[in-house]
Amino acid sequence: MHVSTIKQMEQYARENSGVISLSQGIPYMGSDPSIRDEVVYSIMQNKVDAYSDPQGLVELRDAISQKLQKDEKRYSPHEILITTGAVEAMAATLLAITTPGDEVIIPTPTYVSFFQITKTASLRAITLPLQEDKNWTLDCDLLESIITAKTKAIILCNPNNPTGSIYDKKTLLAITELAEKYNFFIIIDEVYKNMLYEDSKMYSITTDNKFKERIITIVSFSKDFSLTGWRVGFLYTSSALINMILPVHDTLVNCAPVISQYAALAALKDDERIIAAHLDAYREQRNIVESYLQKLTEYISWYKPQGSYFFFPKLLIQKDDSQFCLDLLQKQKLAIVPGSAFGPGGEGHVRICFGRNKADIIKGMERFVAYCNAL
Amino acid sequence: MHVSTIKQMEQYARENSGVISLSQGIPYMGSDPSIRDEVVYSIMQNKVDAYSDPQGLVELRDAISQKLQKDEKRYSPHEILITTGAVEAMAATLLAITTPGDEVIIPTPTYVSFFQITKTASLRAITLPLQEDKNWTLDCDLLESIITAKTKAIILCNPNNPTGSIYDKKTLLAITELAEKYNFFIIIDEVYKNMLYEDSKMYSITTDNKFKERIITIVSFSKDFSLTGWRVGFLYTSSALINMILPVHDTLVNCAPVISQYAALAALKDDERIIAAHLDAYREQRNIVESYLQKLTEYISWYKPQGSYFFFPKLLIQKDDSQFCLDLLQKQKLAIVPGSAFGPGGEGHVRICFGRNKADIIKGMERFVAYCNAL
């Protein structure tokens, strides 16, 4: 097992001057001043030095519970677990609910970390290629055909990284029916849930309480609030599942960093304003990237992302995505991610992040255009 | 699996007014002002919002490498991994170097989290009771007798929590010889390495480079610098092992919280002063606790701890440690930890933490004396 291609790209960009990176999903904006003020205040009030309750600060779980209620999701503070980012939530969940050898279904292409954590937990990742020709939708008949007695869970990333696509209500309900029928869990990574464009709507199956025992939803503060370095996120599910996941979380990290929990608390106090400001910037940057891609219709094809901050264009000429990215890096000093890093169906594509800063995006896309035009 | 007895005790104390807790090892002092200043500066300099390199900030690994060199340990920044506290270091290490079903030898009584993480990683914990009558030393013949073909590692806590004992040079070298002979890893948790009393000396086998490929040493910033809530620690080993552990660390937490990495960096800038100040306080509090215990020689016996901030007295009359602790909590509102939580050999003992604040220690020990005298 190696550190992901994404991080290798990012590291290369960090260590080699002149390289522009549109690879790792790092929001370019700094954290909001209101968050920083609250954090400094918490330090001075001696609130952050000692461990918190392993489940997380009660105030933070209260605040999350209230926010969820606004979205018609009824989860009490006991049904919420504060984690060291979304990846720790995923790790704790999988390690808690599975036994080595279990199968986990992963629709692909998707977030590369899902493969790493299934491997770490000694699970079998059963990949299910999404239908690219239908904007990366999931074929539920195909899903049913790969379910076995060992299927313990399906992992959905919604909106999906790297495709920027969203699972529709019908598909989500069909997956839930299959989960009921064959008795497996649904783990939903909703890290990009607040990054939706135009009239994209995201349906959430967790509004229906009857599936609570079966669905674990994972959310992060990293992307919406530019807090990737702070490592704080949460999950919500039934209290029975929380009781299974909490001891594993406790043994992995003890508790989420307390200072970051206060950052999250501050973020939620003014979340609508902060998220809207981020989204305005991403919307503009999404249009900028597309304006460049439109110059390249003979080299690539793409779907405009409904959510997230990624484009995932298909390569029409130089189809070897790894070679493409390496060449691009060498010739134009632009780091983006080869699609094959995201699992079956990802090969022959590249991922471009438009969450980075605008100047980098413009300069990067000019390099991208120059590279393609020289193919 | 449940959240540990220690944390249950701590939570009970937190939620019930009037209860004094000498249970969880939470240093009572706040973080040093120099650390806070540096952290605030890092926030304002926009340094903490984005992910760091998964392995950790280069500056921090450089600083650690230099500190290790002062102790005659030669580890380059590439051989150091910054983690989300010591528990994540342990989790990442075990998940990286083992396969489900492997055996891990754990001398007991010891830190309860070791049992939880072996369970989480689907490993078999093979406990090896320490010799209480020889101040909790390890019998190397007994160790050799329980080694099997499935033995993958031994976990040593040095100084040991909860016994406060230190493994001597002879024992450590004998363990290393066995590790060489039977080909297993040695994971050393040195979280309390800077909390040594009187003329206690700690020998470290990592000064000899020839064992580098076999030994993973785990250190935390939590205890020495009162940074438990910040979740930052590190491990050092060979770069071959780092390359195995790093991807697992990456999939568990992505990177250690960046703000906490800056806190750690600040801590190392003035570590001798900060550690000395802590140690002065602990030394005094250790004497205070012992002065109370000396009033109870008919009820308990104990070794004065060589390291750590725990006493682990043996109960001579009411020998059921769980019952003892529950009664003590109900009758005197004092929370301490039953010894059976720390594995075989721990039963019939209780753990008292003297790292908490002095007023609590005095009030708590008065309650402890009052409870024993009423037995």
Side-chain angles (χ1 to χ4, degrees), chain B residues 110-162:
Chain B
T110 197
Y111 182 40
V112 52
S113 180
F114 300 159
F115 307 110
Q116 295 178 311
I117 185 58
T118 48
K119 198 163 180 178
T120 296
S122 301
L123 306 170
R124 280 194 65 199
I126 309 295
T127 57
L128 170 65
L130 295 165
Q131 305 172 101
E132 177 169 17
D133 56 339
K134 294 176 184 163
N135 192 8
W136 306 105
T137 49
L138 187 145
D139 179 339
C140 288
D141 293 331
L142 199 56
L143 169 59
E144 186 162 17
S145 75
I146 61 170
I147 294 167
T148 75
K150 286 195 158 267
T151 301
K152 189 52 79 74
I154 185 170
I155 300 177
L156 300 176
C157 185
N158 195 29
N160 190 35
N161 166 11

Side-chain angles (χ1 to χ4, degrees), chain A residues 100-151:
Chain A
D102 281 350
E103 294 174 1
V104 174
I105 296 175
I106 305 179
T108 61
T110 197
Y111 182 40
V112 53
S113 179
F114 300 158
F115 307 110
Q116 295 178 311
I117 185 58
T118 47
K119 198 163 179 178
T120 296
S122 301
L123 305 170
R124 282 194 64 199
I126 309 295
T127 56
L128 169 65
L130 294 166
Q131 305 173 101
E132 177 170 18
D133 56 339
K134 294 177 184 163
N135 192 7
W136 306 105
T137 50
L138 188 146
D139 180 339
C140 289
D141 292 331
L142 200 57
L143 169 59
E144 187 163 16
S145 74
I146 61 170
I147 294 166
T148 75
K150 285 194 158 272
T151 303

Side-chain angles (χ1 to χ4, degrees), chain B residues 8 36 40 72 81-82 91 103 152 183 190 211 214 234 244 252 263-264 272 287 314 325 329 343 358 360 372:
Chain B
Q8 287 174 35
R36 297 179 177 197
V40 173
E72 290 173 37
L81 169 62
I82 313 299
E103 293 175 1
K152 189 52 79 74
N183 193 27
E190 290 193 354
F211 304 126
R214 195 165 289 292
F234 62 94
M244 284 175 71
L252 291 183
E272 286 176 24
N287 289 334
K314 183 175 184 172
C325 289
L329 192 56
K358 193 168 148 184
D360 276 0
C372 286

Side-chain angles (χ1 to χ4, degrees), chain B residues 41-62:
Chain B
Y41 181 76
S42 307
I43 294 173
M44 296 314 163
Q45 292 287 306
N46 296 312
K47 285 177 165 180
V48 306
D49 292 327
Y51 299 115
S52 74
D53 179 335
Q55 196 167 348
L57 295 170
V58 177
E59 311 92 285
L60 179 55
R61 287 186 281 128
D62 275 341

Side-chain angles (χ1 to χ4, degrees), chain A residues 155-347:
Chain A
I155 300 178
L156 301 175
C157 185
N158 196 28
N160 189 34
N161 165 11
T163 58
S165 53
I166 296 173
Y167 292 100
D168 65 14
K169 181 174 176 175
K170 201 180 133 201
T171 307
L172 287 169
L173 288 176
I175 294 169
T176 310
E177 264 175 47
L178 290 172
E180 290 280 323
K181 185 173 168 187
Y182 295 101
N183 192 27
F184 60 83
F185 294 105
I186 303 174
I187 309 174
I188 312 184
D189 176 342
E190 291 194 354
V191 159
Y192 299 101
K193 77 180 166 68
N194 290 321
M195 290 188 200
L196 301 179
Y197 303 100
E198 286 141 19
D199 54 355
S200 298
K201 282 263 181 308
M202 217 183 84
Y203 177 73
S204 183
I205 29 178
T206 47
T207 46
D208 194 334
N209 255 10
K210 85 176 166 185
F211 303 126
K212 216 178 219 184
E213 301 291 333
R214 195 165 289 291
I215 303 172
I216 300 106
T217 308
I218 294 174
V219 184
S220 169
F221 290 93
S222 291
K223 311 294 180 176
D224 305 344
F225 300 103
S226 295
L227 295 173
T228 55
W230 295 70
R231 313 311 306 123
V232 60
F234 63 93
L235 63 81
Y236 55 94
T237 183
S238 68
S239 57
L241 280 167
I242 290 284
N243 287 339
M244 284 175 73
I245 301 169
L246 177 58
V248 176
H249 159 76
D250 180 32
T251 197
L252 292 183
V253 294
N254 213 312
C255 62
V258 180
I259 191 166
S260 307
Q261 295 190 55
Y262 279 101
L265 195 56
L268 289 183
K269 280 186 189 158
D270 208 3
D271 56 340
E272 286 177 22
R273 177 184 61 78
I274 301 172
I275 291 171
H278 277 58
L279 205 55
D280 283 347
Y282 294 145
R283 202 177 283 120
E284 185 194 356
Q285 293 176 183
R286 174 169 167 267
N287 289 334
I288 291 171
V289 170
E290 184 160 60
S291 71
Y292 282 98
L293 297 182
Q294 276 160 348
K295 302 176 185 175
L296 300 170
T297 47
E298 56 182 308
Y299 304 102
I300 51 169
S301 68
W302 69 91
Y303 290 102
K304 199 166 182 178
Q306 299 169 280
S308 85
Y309 46 34
F310 302 112
F311 274 87
F312 196 59
K314 184 176 183 169
L315 307 173
L316 303 178
I317 294 184
Q318 156 57 297
K319 291 180 181 176
D320 181 331
D321 52 295
S322 295
Q323 198 52 53
F324 183 100
C325 290
L326 275 177
D327 269 8
L328 179 62
L329 192 57
Q330 275 161 14
K331 292 186 181 150
Q332 291 286 347
K333 293 194 168 188
L334 171 63
I336 58 172
V337 188
S340 48
F342 302 94
E347 63 283 351

Side-chain angles (χ1 to χ4, degrees), chain B residues 256-275:
Chain B
V258 180
I259 191 165
S260 307
Q261 296 189 55
Y262 280 100
L265 194 55
L268 289 183
K269 280 185 190 159
D270 207 3
D271 56 340
E272 286 176 24
R273 177 185 60 78
I274 300 173
I275 290 171

